[in-house]
Amino acid sequence: MRIPVPPSSEITPPESFLRRRLLLAGGATLGGIGGPALATPLPSTRAAAWSIDDKPTPFSTMTSYGNFYEFGPDKDSPAKHAHRLRIRPWTLTVDGAVKTEKTFAIDDLLKWAPLEERIYRFRCVEGWGAVVPWIGFPFAELLKRVEITGNAKYVEFWSLADPGQMPYVRVPLLDWPYVEALRLDEAKHPLTLLAVGMYGEVMPKQNGAPLRLIVPWKYGFKGAKSIVRVRFVEKQPATAWTKAAPDEYGFYSNVNPDVPHKRWSQSHERRLGEFRKRPTLPFNGYAEQVAGLYAGMDLRQNF
Ligand code: MTE
């Protein structure tokens, strides 16, 4: 299946500077190519109040086109190489500004809260969009299991960075591990999901199994995949992308049609599988729910 993508005259994806870095680093070699992963059903209850009515992007599209730079710089790298990821045993460590550091086994964490299916808009900073039925539970559920201290103002999400499983972690494409972060109130917002599945299935490896973050009003790169650590911190942290290109990727990264990326406009987007362009919505269509989090802030300054 060929997926239409905007012509390169319209966008210059992060991929292009990643490529330059890759060349500078002397390239990397990858081992075997995997076949399609077998899907495992994951029951959940549709949360209609948190879902949009739009038709989801095909599963085959969302699993074959994406970004997971630990597995390579191309859109099909995750689908080709993420089969190397070992998702059991898997633990999530919660530390930093907490009374007691805790480590949870993924299978225990899966029982924390009823799993919900939520159909969210998804917007990649590169100019493509999608509609995805994620399965998961609000990040706020985690806060019931740990006691944070008064110093906890921000939350970092750390992806696994194991060169044995993730060949491109040997290449300085980004400052590994992939770390993303939110302000505590953003993390606590009921739209913020810890996702463990999509399309009725256990999360495919290429989409960030076994646990990833979904923040639907922000650009997709905020949604760290294959998370192993959540750290509460006092100061606004640097993230993989703010370190890589601080003038192109801001800490907030709220979807905003009025604030162009340094190298391309964000006014429109193309949903994967569609040819027409759609206007990009402020906060990706979630303004009613989240605009209040940013009251009084200059969103051009805090992009
Ligand atoms: N998480 C990790 N660990 N590594 C990555 O390269 N890419 C991000 C985000 N999370 C990325 C990541 C980007 S740029 C996007 S657009 C989304 O994952 C893509 O998610 P998808 O492949 O499920 O569409």
Side-chain angles (χ1 to χ4, degrees):
M1 176 180 186
R2 262 184 73 81
I3 294 132
V5 290
S8 55
S9 58
E10 286 168 28
I11 58 164
T12 312
E15 196 184 322
S16 58
F17 79 75
L18 292 177
R19 277 197 179 289
R20 284 197 298 277
R21 287 187 180 204
L22 183 60
L23 288 172
L24 291 172
T29 49
L30 280 169
I33 297 201
L38 291 176
T40 311
L42 183 64
S44 63
T45 309
R46 167 77 56 86
W50 296 105
S51 294
I52 59 166
D53 294 329
D54 302 26
K55 189 166 169 258
T57 300
F59 176 79
S60 59
T61 305
M62 275 306 288
T63 50
S64 59
Y65 183 94
N67 292 319
F68 200 165
Y69 294 112
E70 289 87 333
F71 292 103
D74 298 315
K75 291 288 174 263
D76 62 354
S77 303
K80 278 188 185 153
H81 304 298
H83 65 93
R84 291 176 161 214
L85 185 64
R86 291 190 301 273
I87 53 172
R88 291 296 185 284
W90 190 279
T91 56
L92 175 72
T93 296
V94 183
D95 66 350
V98 290
K99 294 254 162 69
T100 318
E101 178 183 321
K102 287 189 179 168
T103 295
F104 303 101
I106 184 73
D107 291 311
D108 294 334
L109 184 154
L110 277 162
K111 295 175 207 141
W112 280 358
L115 294 181
E116 291 177 25
E117 179 181 64
R118 298 181 176 201
I119 305 180
Y120 280 170
R121 285 182 210 88
F122 186 84
R123 174 62 155 78
C124 178
V125 73
E126 295 160 5
W128 50 272
V131 177
V132 187
W134 302 109
I135 298 173
F137 52 79
F139 174 80
E141 289 293 332
L142 186 140
L143 293 171
K144 297 182 185 166
R145 271 105 191 151
V146 294
E147 216 180 324
I148 57 174
T149 71
N151 291 338
K153 301 277 163 30
Y154 294 86
V155 196
E156 294 175 345
F157 299 85
W158 292 50
S159 297
L160 179 72
D162 176 1
Q165 305 176 57
M166 302 167 139
Y168 278 76
V169 166
R170 294 184 199 279
V171 182
L173 295 177
L174 289 168
D175 186 4
W176 311 112
Y178 193 102
V179 175
E180 259 309 336
L182 300 173
R183 223 169 54 191
L184 186 60
D185 59 342
E186 297 179 316
K188 281 181 176 169
H189 192 282
L191 280 168
T192 303
L193 276 198
L194 286 176
V196 294
M198 63 185 215
Y199 297 83
E201 312 282 351
V202 164
M203 188 66 78
K205 291 182 177 182
Q206 59 266 47
N207 296 93
L211 180 72
R212 74 176 288 180
L213 180 69
I214 295 296
V215 195
W217 71 94
K218 293 179 181 279
Y219 291 114
F221 67 83
K222 296 300 276 186
K225 294 177 167 181
S226 306
I227 297 170
V228 290
R229 182 183 191 189
V230 167
R231 180 164 74 155
F232 292 90
V233 295
E234 183 163 10
K235 302 229 159 57
Q236 181 179 304
T239 66
W241 290 103
T242 61
K243 282 192 242 176
D247 51 342
E248 299 188 7
Y249 305 103
F251 176 81
Y252 283 95
S253 300
N254 292 320
V255 174
N256 191 340
D258 300 328
V259 176
H261 184 273
K262 199 178 148 212
R263 291 177 283 137
W264 60 86
S265 163
Q266 292 291 22
S267 68
H268 286 75
E269 65 199 56
R270 194 166 295 171
R271 280 194 185 163
L272 297 179
E274 292 184 356
F275 289 92
R276 69 176 167 127
K277 282 187 170 189
R278 295 167 179 262
T280 289
L281 305 171
F283 298 105
N284 204 24
Y286 299 96
E288 211 179 298
Q289 291 99 315
V290 302
L293 295 173
Y294 311 101
M297 282 175 66
D298 179 345
L299 297 180
R300 284 178 187 275
Q301 208 65 40
N302 298 284
F303 63 92

